[in-house]
Structure formats: structure tokens, C-alpha cells
Amino acid sequence: MPRGVKKEHLPSKVCETCERPFTWRKKWESCWDEVKTCSQRCKGERKAKLQRANRAERGVAEAEAGESPAVRRGGGRGDQRDSDE
């Protein structure tokens, strides 16, 4: 009698990044409900996309508050360089 489950009977999901279907893997047995992407590459792209969106959101919030990133960090290059005189 054969062991295991045929691949066609395994649960599947659609990747949130590339929107391709992917199937359950043994290594995802304990965390299948938390899996959102099909690969490390898609996971990295999703994370980068979220970070870009968060940065853009913060940039809009700073602009509305009238604060520039240079002011928030303590100035421009002049503060970081030593005087050569």
C-alpha cells in the first residue's frame, strides 16, 4: 500500500507577491496558516515593497508636519565633516 498523499490532494494557496499557486510542503506543516509567499525571493520582494510603502507614508507625514529629513537628522553634511582648516 502506498504511503503519503498525492500532490493533487495537497492544500494550495496563491502567492501574495507573484500571484501563482503553490502547494503545501512538509516544512510548512506547523505554520501553513502563516505562509503567504511561495519562495524566499517572493518573501524578499514583498518585504521590500512594504518597506517602500512605509517610507513613502512617513515622507508624506513629515511633509505635512513641515519637517524635512535633514532637520530631523540634525542637519546636513556640515555637521558630519571635520574642519580641514
Side-chain angles (χ1 to χ4, degrees), residues 21-64:
F22 63 100
T23 56
W24 182 89
R25 294 182 189 170
K26 178 71 175 171
K27 69 179 184 178
W28 292 333
E29 184 174 25
S30 63
C31 61
W32 176 244
D33 294 333
E34 300 164 12
V35 176
K36 300 192 184 307
T37 57
C38 64
S39 64
Q40 291 294 326
R41 178 182 177 193
C42 283
K43 182 179 180 180
E45 287 180 16
R46 180 175 180 263
K47 188 174 180 180
K49 183 179 176 182
L50 291 172
Q51 286 176 346
R52 283 192 302 268
N54 287 339
R55 280 192 207 122
E57 231 176 69
R58 278 186 274 152
V60 169
E62 289 171 357
E64 289 173 356

Side-chain angles (χ1 to χ4, degrees), residues 76-84:
R77 291 180 170 209
D79 294 344
Q80 296 172 357
R81 291 185 185 176
D82 289 327
S83 172
D84 291 338

